Structures are given as structure tokens and as C-alpha cells.
């Protein structure tokens, strides 16, 4: 009867020394939105503190992020030209390849992850080619692979396909191998759910679908076995890491994949999760610092090796 659990909680240093989970700068990835032009920094209404940057100002922002201890970024391109072929997604001089080249020149040690998808490049806003009102899986694959290739050729360390087409990891891996880019990692958005938590992102990236929704390619929030099926398949096809997205309402999935798989697991703390915290904090309803650290720590505790979060900069600059 001498098991007093409070002994280990009584002293701050001891609490820290016995903590089972710790959040560090190497766990975090900050997303960045890149636009064309010069001298541009656009605020995103639903995501206070997050902006779209033209390449020149992106480098300034990165400088501040790296100085705060930032190690990695996930880059989204928002092109001015959209069409039915996603032509700017495969342009070697496109927005992402240009940004990646500049980032790698100025910050060679910064880990560059690029989002590979067509939704921001297609005039209809879907993640693949639309044929007769449907999203055509196999016609989308060569465009996705070409897009990943131009990112990798520009120097991206990791390409991260978020489209949820079947077989895209195999096609991407093949394309990279054939081009001799054997060291480029693939982070698969493997368990990506059709989620209302992406709302603010679609405003930020101008990528809301013009018709219908993404339920024929993104996963049903009711399913967990399917996440394992998706992740196992992507690993077989050549993914180095797999992602669960969104994160907070899907910590059971993070935990499931961590237990069943050996590859690194990435959790994406998405735009809606960020905006809810920001809105509540602005109203004084929650304490931002404590709630952000609690949320991100819970993702690590669930088994995430890496967390992609819009809070990353604040965490490194102010909260840790
Ligand atoms: C593109 C993509 C989306 C997100 C990342 N990549 C949006 C979507 O699938 O509609 C969401 C990110 C976020 O909400 O922070 N396919």
C-alpha cells in the first residue's frame, strides 16, 4: 500500500526526467504556402499567423524559422494558372521547383518536403484528372509522377503525394528510380480522411473542389482497418514513411499504424485543428501555449515520429 504515485509528480525536474514523451525541434515540420511574384505576403483570414509568400519573402520567413530552430518545411505551391491538365504542376520552372531551388541554395541543411497533388493546379479543384464527371485514377498517375519528378530534380528531399489515387507510390518510385533520384524519400499521405478539418486550407490554397467532394478518393472517417490496408500497400509500393491526416481526431489510427508497422509515422495537425485553437485562444477561452503543447505531445504519445503543424513556428519561437 506504499505506492504513492504523486511522489514522481511532486518536483518539476523529476516530472521532466520521468516523462515518457518529449517534444523537440526535430519532431516538427512547418507548412508553407508559396505564390508567384515578388514582395508578396498575404494573410489567410481563417489561419491567423499563416501567410502565402512569394519566393523572396518566403526566404526571409525561412530565415526566421531556421533561426528559431526549425529543421523542416512542407511546401505547397499556389499557381496563378489553373487548367484541366495541371500544366503548372509539371513545369520544371513552376512555383514549387523554383522555390525549392532557392531554399536549398540558401539553407542546404533545411529538410524540404513538397506536397504533390493536382488540386491547386486543376481548374476544377480535384486531386486528379476529371473524365465524364469522375476522377480518373490511372490518367492522374503520370501527371502526379511528373510533378514529383520536377520537385525532386529541383532538390526536394522528400516528396509527399496527397492525392489518394491508387498505385501512385509505385508510379512515383519508378519515375524517381529511372531518373537516378534514388535518395529522394517518399512520404505517403497513406491514411488521408475525407475531412471537414481541411476547410481553412482550401481557402489558403484556393483548392476547394468546384463540384462534388473528395469522398471517392479520400477515406471514410468511419474506418480504421482500411488505414492499415492503405499504409501497408504504400510501403510495399515504395513509401519510406506514411502519414495519418488529420491527426487529433485520428490518434487511434496513429497508434494503430505505430503498433503494426516499422516505418516512421507522420501525423498532420491540419488547418481546421489549428484554426479552432487560434479562435478559442483569441477569445480567451483556452490558453494557447498549454493547449498547443498538450495537443502536439498527445500526437507523439500516440506514436507519431514526426508532426506537421502550423503551430511549429510558435512552438519553437515561444512555447518550448
Ligand atoms: C491537397 C491537400 C489538402 C491538405 C493537404 N494537401 C487538402 C485537401 O485534401 O482538400 C490539407 C491540409 C490542411 O488542412 O492543413 N490534396
Amino acid at each position: 500500500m506504499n505506492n504513492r504515485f504523486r511522489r514522481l509528480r511532486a518536483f518539476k525536474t523529476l516530472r521532466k526526467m520521468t516523462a515518457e514523451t518529449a517534444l523537440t525541434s526535430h519532431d516538427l515540420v512547418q507548412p508553407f504556402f508559396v505564390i508567384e511574384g515578388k514582395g508578396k505576403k498575404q494573410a489567410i483570414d481563417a489561419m491567423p499567423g499563416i501567410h502565402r509568400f512569394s519566393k523572396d519573402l518566403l526566404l526571409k520567413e525561412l530565415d526566421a524559422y531556421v533561426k528559431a530552430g526549425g529543421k523542416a518545411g512542407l511546401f505547397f505551391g499556389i499557381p496563378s494558372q489553373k487548367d484541366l491538365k495541371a500544366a503548372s504542376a509539371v513545369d520544371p520552372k513552376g512555383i514549387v521547383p523554383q522555390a525549392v531551388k532557392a531554399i536549398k541554395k540558401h539553407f542546404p541543411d533545411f529538410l524540404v518536403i513538397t506536397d504533390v497533388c493536382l488540386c491547386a493546379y486543376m481548374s476544377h479543384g480535384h486531386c486528379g484528372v476529371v473524365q465524364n464527371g469522375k476522377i480518373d485514377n490511372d490518367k492522374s498517375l503520370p501527371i502526379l509522377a511528373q510533378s514529383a519528378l520536377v520537385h525532386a530534380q529541383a532538390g526536394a528531399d522528400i516528396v509527399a503525394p496527397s492525392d489518394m489515387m491508387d498505385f501512385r507510390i509505385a508510379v512515383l518510385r519508378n519515375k524517381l528510380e529511372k531518373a537516378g533520384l534514388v535518395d529522394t524519400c517518399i512520404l505517403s499521405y497513406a491514411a488521408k480522411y475525407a475531412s471537414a478539418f481541411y476547410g481553412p486550407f482550401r481557402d489558403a490554397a484556393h483548392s476547394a473542389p468546384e463540384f462534388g467532394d473528395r469522398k471517392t478518393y479520400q477515406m471514410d472517417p468511419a474506418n480504421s482497418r482500411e488505414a492499415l490496408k492503405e499504409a501497408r500497400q504504400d510501403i510495399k509500393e515504395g513509401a519510406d514513411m506514411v502519414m495519418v491526416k488529420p491527426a487529433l481526431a485520428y490518434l487511434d489510427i496513429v497508434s494503430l499504424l505505430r503498433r503494426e508497422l516499422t516505418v516512421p509515422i507522420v501525423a498532420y495537425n491540419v488547418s481546421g485543428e489549428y484554426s479552432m485553437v487560434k479562435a478559442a485562444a483569441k477569445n480567451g477561452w483556452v490558453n494557447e501555449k498549454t493547449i498547443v503543447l498538450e495537443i502536439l505531445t498527445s500526437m507523439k504519445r500516440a506514436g507519431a515520429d514526426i508532426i506537421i503543424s502550423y503551430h511549429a513556428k510558435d512552438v519553437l519561437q515561444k512555447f518550448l
Side-chain angles (χ1 to χ4, degrees):
M1 272 317 197
N2 292 329
N3 285 341
R4 286 182 181 270
F5 298 127
R6 292 182 54 195
R7 271 185 218 120
L8 293 179
R9 295 180 202 139
F11 189 63
K12 186 179 175 193
T13 302
L14 190 55
R15 283 198 297 276
K16 282 265 181 204
M17 289 176 85
T18 56
E20 297 173 39
T21 310
L23 199 62
T24 76
S25 60
H26 282 96
D27 298 323
L28 297 169
V29 178
Q30 172 78 42
F32 295 93
F33 298 105
V34 197
I35 52 175
E36 284 158 20
K38 246 186 151 180
K40 289 192 181 149
K41 176 179 178 178
Q42 303 170 345
I44 298 158
D45 286 348
M47 302 178 73
I50 304 295
H51 301 81
R52 303 181 198 97
F53 293 101
S54 57
K55 191 176 74 186
D56 53 334
L57 295 191
L58 175 73
L59 292 174
K60 273 198 164 166
E61 176 72 8
L62 273 176
D63 193 53
Y65 185 60
V66 168
K67 284 197 175 116
K71 309 291 179 203
L74 169 63
F75 296 87
F76 292 94
I78 310 169
S80 53
Q81 291 292 331
K82 295 173 192 261
D83 54 37
L84 292 171
K85 296 186 310 196
S88 9
V90 297
D91 182 357
K93 290 202 171 67
I95 185 154
V96 171
Q98 276 197 35
V100 169
K101 272 185 204 153
I103 296 161
K104 275 292 171 186
K105 189 168 155 216
H106 289 88
F107 309 98
D109 295 332
F110 192 72
L111 186 85
V112 173
I113 311 174
T114 60
D115 183 88
V116 175
C117 196
L118 307 183
C119 57
Y121 299 87
M122 288 284 199
S123 36
H124 47 62
H126 274 292
C127 302
V129 172
V130 172
Q131 202 98 62
N132 304 323
K134 285 191 172 167
I135 290 72
D136 190 310
N137 193 88
D138 296 5
K139 282 200 169 66
S140 308
L141 297 176
I143 310 178
L144 288 162
Q146 190 62 30
S147 185
L149 181 68
V150 297
H151 293 184
Q153 282 170 335
D157 302 294
I158 302 179
V159 289
S162 65
D163 52 282
M164 286 300 277
M165 298 301 124
D166 288 325
F167 309 126
R168 89 263 209 220
I169 304 300
V171 176
L172 256 72
R173 178 57 80 206
N174 205 1
K175 190 92 180 174
L176 293 173
E177 287 282 322
K178 280 205 176 121
L181 292 159
V182 295
D183 289 331
T184 309
C185 289
I186 299 179
L187 161 58
S188 172
Y189 284 68
K192 178 175 178 181
Y193 288 87
S195 171
F197 285 101
Y198 308 150
F201 173 95
R202 290 181 189 169
D203 283 343
H206 307 306
S207 67
E210 209 169 53
F211 66 92
D213 52 40
R214 302 208 201 286
K215 288 181 183 161
T216 67
Y217 42 106
Q218 298 181 350
M219 284 175 52
D220 184 342
N223 299 347
S224 63
R225 293 193 303 268
E226 191 185 1
L228 202 48
K229 212 164 62 172
E230 281 277 1
R232 282 196 177 126
Q233 171 77 17
D234 287 354
I235 293 163
K236 229 184 255 167
E237 288 182 24
D240 301 287
M241 305 190 261
V242 292
M243 187 195 297
V244 176
K245 178 186 169 191
L248 202 48
Y250 298 85
L251 291 185
D252 58 325
I253 310 299
V254 173
S255 167
L256 173 70
L257 297 198
R258 173 67 296 146
R259 267 182 281 122
E260 296 289 334
L261 307 172
T262 54
V263 299
I265 306 293
V266 180
Y268 196 148
N269 175 216
V270 299
S271 58
E273 299 172 55
Y274 175 82
S275 300
M276 290 195 305
V277 167
K278 281 287 185 185
K282 193 173 160 217
N283 278 295
W285 296 335
V286 296
N287 178 296
E288 184 172 349
K289 173 182 166 174
T290 356
I291 211 167
V292 166
L293 291 177
E294 183 177 338
I295 287 172
L296 299 182
T297 302
S298 74
M299 291 169 190
K300 279 217 74 184
R301 191 194 63 234
D305 299 285
I306 297 173
I307 302 166
I308 301 171
S309 175
Y310 301 93
H311 297 293
K313 188 181 168 197
D314 282 344
V315 169
L316 296 176
Q317 275 181 341
K318 299 187 278 191
F319 298 164
L320 267 190

